[in-house]
Amino acid sequence: MLKYIVRRVLTMIPTLLVVIFIVLFLMNLTPGSPALNILGPDATQEMVEELNHKLGYDRPFFVRFVDYVVNLVQGDMGTTYRTNRSVFKEIVTRYPITVRLSILVIVIACCIGIPLGILSAVKQYSFFDTAGTVGALFMACIPAFWLGLMLVLLFSLKLGWLPASGTDHWYSYILPALTQAIPQSARSMRMTRTSMLETIRQDYIKTARSKGQIERKVILKHALKNALLPVVTMVGVDFGFILGGTIVIERVFSINGVGTLILDAIQTKDIPLVTGCAVFFAFFYMLVLLIVDVLYALIDPRIKARYRGQKA
Amino acid sequence: MDSLLSVRNLVTRYETDSATVEAVNDISFDVLPGETLGLVGETGAGKTTTALSILQLLPERTGVIKSGAICYKGEDLLSKSKEEMRLIRGACISMIFQDPMTALNPVLTIGEQIRESLEIHNYDGLSREQLDERVDELLEMVGIRTSRKYDYPHQFSGGMKQRVVIAISLACNPELIIADEPTTALDVTIQAQVLAMMMDLKNRLKTSMIMITHDLGIVAQTCDKVAIMYAGEIVESGTVRDIYLGEKHHPYTVGLFGSIPDLEKETRRLSPIEGIMPDPRNLPTGCKFHPRCAHCTARCEREAPPVYREGSHEIRCHLFAAEDANGN
């Protein structure tokens, strides 16, 4: 198992290299130079060239790529073009906000979605199931920005219970988290329902019933653990995705997370900052996927055996 | 002797919006204490549905027991509440399913799965240690090393898994075991082993059994009585002696025996029964077997055949009923 994890961590390195290459390459393809963006349209040609030279932007693409990688290995992610502050610090000060928000979103989504999905599957074709499925479809279709605005309208403006923006208090996170968690919980619910329906048709569920097991335990002890695998996969992938910046809700609720950071960085063509964010996202995404795979092993002994069987 | 289980005029249907499947049509049989009844028939004859009807494990929305009675020790199971029925399952009547590959939960150890039955029906208030001992005892009974109780189903072969399934079914010393094709999914050599073990345990524990199978060889080896099912009906029933050595047989039974190769005669081809089992959503009128029967008469197409009796031997066929009428 440990061998498996070490090997997975090692495979992250080439993936990160590819990510860096692609980001730098794409930034290189976009028109305009960083200096032009910083100095504005009034700058003279000499001033632009001088700044580009200072930033090292006049060197060939591959040199800059290798340079970036070498610096990264030494723990240096460069400085931002605009503010001249350390990219690493810039991201690290903002990332906890996004991480907190993402965790909250996933926890709320799972707490609502999974139990509802189970209930819906167990009571298939009932009124609850139909209402739940239609409701979930509806929720999954709502755009986050609209839902966010509606929630603000109700809870901040009308009722005045929760702040409409910022991250000053713990309860400031409630509205943005709910905004993202509601469509997310609809996804979890639909996934859990489908997976559960498939599981409760399995023979071992019949075996459990033929033992005289009570229905609640048939579902919770026998079916749930088996049904959870695809749900864990989906939630994991979604979590990784949300970690990569909850851009829309950060905009709607004016939250200073990495979502807003990367958006600004792209607009100003701040290459070190964009690349730094991409490296961070990629790293955390892979980390989450690794955690999901380890969780698999905890849920399913067959997968655990497979991990053990692999030679590093 | 009073019957342990007595099924009378059982009718089970699967009802969906688009069709009604007439799975079991008016069947009756008895199982005496310590006796093994063989339920024989092709796939789709209604054997498994009969078993699931007894345990009331039919699919919740579609499976319906339309009429009839299922009496266990004189008590009607169909009038029992869900909770009363739950307490009977596993403790009094247990079931061995066809495919051991899928009958065990992949995420629980086999020890846990055997223990579960014991815990559900732990009326004597056994302690944890005593339950563990009983699990070991059961594993030994079915010939599995007790140290393997911490293993998961995927670590066992098919035959071993079926032994675990058998251990589960025996856990609470039930008086009746319904074995639904317990060896169909196994290799021939393993089949013989598992079957011999089952019979040995059955005789030692004096359990009654309903052996569901399509293999007449297994029936001859293991059963006391046989009921041959076709399209949801029992077309012929009797003791093993009646079925294997009797002179008169339902044409379907003749066909079944005819499709087994004979060791002593040299035949180039097997003789299968022509045609296929009728669609249970649209069963033929009269005798359900008439479209495939070589002796079919106009009467067979119109009227359901009466029962012809000769001691313990019963045949549902116009062929003998006519003879019976003439004889009288």
Side-chain angles (χ1 to χ4, degrees):
Chain A
M1 191 73 192
L2 192 70
K3 262 185 192 168
Y4 175 78
I5 294 174
V6 170
R7 215 180 41 145
R8 281 286 298 269
V9 171
L10 288 178
T11 55
M12 285 183 184
I13 296 170
T15 317
L16 279 178
L17 285 180
V18 172
V19 169
I20 296 167
F21 183 85
I22 292 174
V23 172
L24 284 178
F25 187 67
L26 286 178
M27 290 305 277
N28 196 47
L29 286 181
T30 54
S33 68
L36 198 66
N37 268 312
I38 296 166
L39 297 169
D42 298 335
T44 61
Q45 188 66 25
E46 290 87 55
M47 282 162 75
V48 170
E49 269 170 26
E50 195 194 318
L51 189 57
N52 270 341
H53 180 70
K54 218 177 102 193
L55 296 173
Y57 195 70
D58 56 345
R59 294 172 304 155
F61 171 71
F62 277 100
V63 175
R64 277 185 283 135
F65 170 66
V66 172
D67 207 33
Y68 187 88
V69 173
V70 170
N71 284 336
L72 186 66
V73 170
Q74 293 166 344
D76 178 13
M77 296 180 92
T79 54
T80 68
Y81 285 164
R82 284 196 322 149
T83 55
N84 224 10
R85 293 208 333 243
S86 154
V87 168
F88 183 76
K89 271 198 187 128
E90 194 87 8
I91 297 172
V92 161
T93 47
R94 297 228 201 166
Y95 214 55
I97 298 174
T98 302
V99 171
R100 240 174 276 157
L101 198 56
S102 309
I103 291 175
L104 206 59
V105 166
I106 288 297
V107 169
I108 296 175
C110 288
C111 288
I112 300 175
I114 294 176
L116 285 183
I118 295 170
L119 268 178
S120 189
V122 172
K123 307 236 176 280
Q124 197 192 4
Y125 302 122
S126 67
F127 172 74
F128 173 81
D129 178 37
T130 318
T133 320
V134 173
L137 184 67
F138 182 68
M139 291 301 176
C141 293
I142 297 177
F145 68 88
W146 182 83
L147 183 63
L149 289 176
M150 291 303 122
L151 287 175
V152 167
L153 214 60
L154 180 65
F155 290 104
S156 305
L157 297 180
K158 286 258 185 222
L159 300 168
W161 290 351
L162 295 164
S165 64
T167 49
D168 307 332
H169 310 283
W170 64 266
Y171 51 80
S172 313
Y173 286 99
I174 296 177
L175 279 189
L178 265 184
T179 306
Q180 186 104 351
I182 287 173
Q184 187 63 41
S185 64
R187 276 168 62 83
S188 312
M189 176 189 160
R190 288 164 62 83
M191 191 68 176
T192 311
R193 177 178 179 273
T194 312
S195 175
M196 199 71 185
L197 279 179
E198 184 151 326
T199 311
I200 53 183
R201 294 203 181 100
Q202 299 293 320
D203 282 353
Y204 52 80
I205 298 300
K206 224 183 265 166
T207 307
R209 289 199 177 119
S210 79
K211 287 177 185 173
Q213 186 57 283
I214 52 175
E215 195 56 26
R216 188 171 51 85
K217 278 201 172 172
V218 169
I219 298 301
L220 294 181
K221 184 174 173 186
H222 288 271
L224 186 58
K225 221 175 164 192
N226 283 288
L228 227 43
L229 272 186
V231 180
V232 168
T233 315
M234 191 203 75
V235 168
V237 171
D238 285 357
F239 182 54
F241 192 71
I242 297 172
L243 270 181
T246 37
I247 296 177
V248 175
I249 55 172
E250 284 183 19
R251 266 288 137 115
V252 173
F253 292 95
S254 338
I255 292 169
N256 271 326
V258 275
T260 18
L261 186 70
I262 195 168
L263 215 57
D264 292 340
I266 292 168
Q267 274 164 359
T268 55
K269 206 169 162 131
D270 199 331
I271 295 171
L273 193 53
V274 174
T275 323
C277 285
V279 169
F280 247 74
F281 293 167
F283 177 75
F284 276 100
Y285 194 70
M286 288 188 285
L287 202 66
V288 169
L289 291 189
L290 177 61
I291 293 170
V292 167
D293 284 351
V294 172
L295 273 181
Y296 271 5
L298 291 182
I299 294 174
D300 195 330
R302 285 168 296 184
I303 295 174
K304 195 173 187 174
R306 210 179 306 151
Y307 288 170
R308 211 176 280 145
Q310 282 174 346
K311 298 277 176 291
Chain B
M1 207 170 354
D2 281 345
S3 317
L4 180 68
L5 182 85
S6 149
V7 173
R8 286 284 163 273
N9 307 96
L10 178 69
V11 178
T12 305
R13 300 262 181 278
Y14 292 110
E15 289 173 345
T16 62
D17 291 341
S18 53
T20 300
V21 177
E22 303 184 3
V24 174
N25 304 306
D26 194 19
I27 66 166
S28 303
F29 60 84
D30 287 276
V31 183
L32 303 181
E35 189 178 59
T36 301
L37 169 74
L39 220 48
V40 188
E42 288 171 84
T43 308
K47 305 176 308 256
T48 304
T49 305
T50 307
L52 294 177
S53 300
I54 295 170
L55 282 173
Q56 292 176 35
L57 283 175
L58 290 163
E60 216 166 276
R61 282 182 54 82
T62 50
V64 204
I65 297 174
K66 277 284 168 191
S67 61
I70 300 171
C71 291
Y72 175 77
K73 287 183 166 176
E75 288 178 56
D76 187 9
L77 295 185
L78 295 180
S79 61
K80 293 217 178 282
S81 71
K82 273 189 176 176
E83 180 61 16
E84 285 170 327
M85 211 39 229
R86 181 180 77 73
L87 295 175
I88 287 172
R89 284 198 284 268
C92 305
I93 307 175
S94 68
M95 187 154 174
I96 298 172
F97 289 95
Q98 182 170 357
D99 188 357
M101 300 301 169
T102 56
L104 294 172
N105 193 330
V107 303
L108 298 174
T109 65
I110 60 143
E112 284 173 305
Q113 296 190 54
I114 296 173
R115 231 187 118 100
E116 189 182 7
S117 302
L118 297 170
E119 280 168 355
I120 297 166
H121 304 289
N122 185 6
Y123 308 119
D124 301 334
L126 297 181
S127 66
R128 293 180 67 94
E129 290 74 28
Q130 283 169 312
L131 287 177
D132 280 338
E133 267 170 41
R134 175 76 180 138
V135 171
D136 290 353
E137 194 184 314
L138 283 163
L139 282 173
E140 270 165 21
M141 250 160 66
V142 295
I144 295 176
R145 271 186 289 124
T146 53
S147 57
R148 296 207 67 187
K149 66 179 164 184
Y150 304 108
D151 286 349
Y152 289 92
H154 71 270
Q155 291 162 291
F156 291 85
S157 66
M160 292 295 254
K161 273 187 223 180
Q162 195 60 303
R163 284 164 190 263
V164 174
V165 173
I166 292 168
I168 292 174
S169 72
L170 290 173
C172 301
N173 287 321
E175 290 181 71
L176 176 65
I177 295 178
I178 303 173
D180 186 3
E181 309 211 14
T183 56
T184 306
L186 305 176
D187 290 342
V188 184
T189 45
I190 307 295
Q191 266 187 23
Q193 270 181 28
V194 169
L195 216 54
M197 188 198 74
M198 278 176 68
M199 284 307 116
D200 174 48
L201 288 172
K202 186 197 106 68
N203 291 333
R204 262 167 47 199
L205 305 172
K206 311 231 176 325
T207 318
S208 301
M209 190 181 276
I210 297 177
M211 174 70 84
I212 297 176
T213 180
H214 56 247
D215 188 332
L216 286 164
I218 291 178
V219 173
Q221 271 178 55
T222 59
C223 299
D224 304 309
K225 284 197 309 197
V226 188
I228 292 170
M229 285 189 80
Y230 183 80
E233 288 179 346
I234 293 178
V235 293
E236 182 169 351
S237 65
T239 61
V240 171
R241 189 162 266 280
D242 293 333
I243 303 293
Y244 284 78
L245 302 172
E247 281 171 16
K248 290 169 185 165
H249 288 297
H250 191 280
Y252 178 63
T253 315
V254 175
L256 274 185
F257 278 100
S259 56
I260 305 173
D262 193 325
L263 279 179
E264 281 152 26
K265 274 185 228 150
E266 195 169 325
T267 27
R268 295 179 65 85
R269 293 183 74 101
L270 293 174
S271 46
I273 308 172
E274 294 298 327
I276 50 162
M277 181 90 97
D279 182 353
R281 285 171 298 186
N282 188 16
L283 289 174
T285 53
C287 174
K288 309 263 189 301
F289 188 61
H290 86 254
R292 295 170 78 181
C293 186
H295 311 281
C296 177
T297 63
R299 194 172 166 205
C300 298
E301 290 172 27
R302 286 191 322 267
E303 292 169 39
V307 180
Y308 166 78
R309 278 194 191 82
E310 202 180 81
S312 55
H313 197 174
E314 293 185 2
I315 305 171
R316 265 176 191 254
C317 183
H318 284 299
L319 223 57
F320 307 108
E323 205 176 278
D324 202 20
N326 294 340
N328 291 338

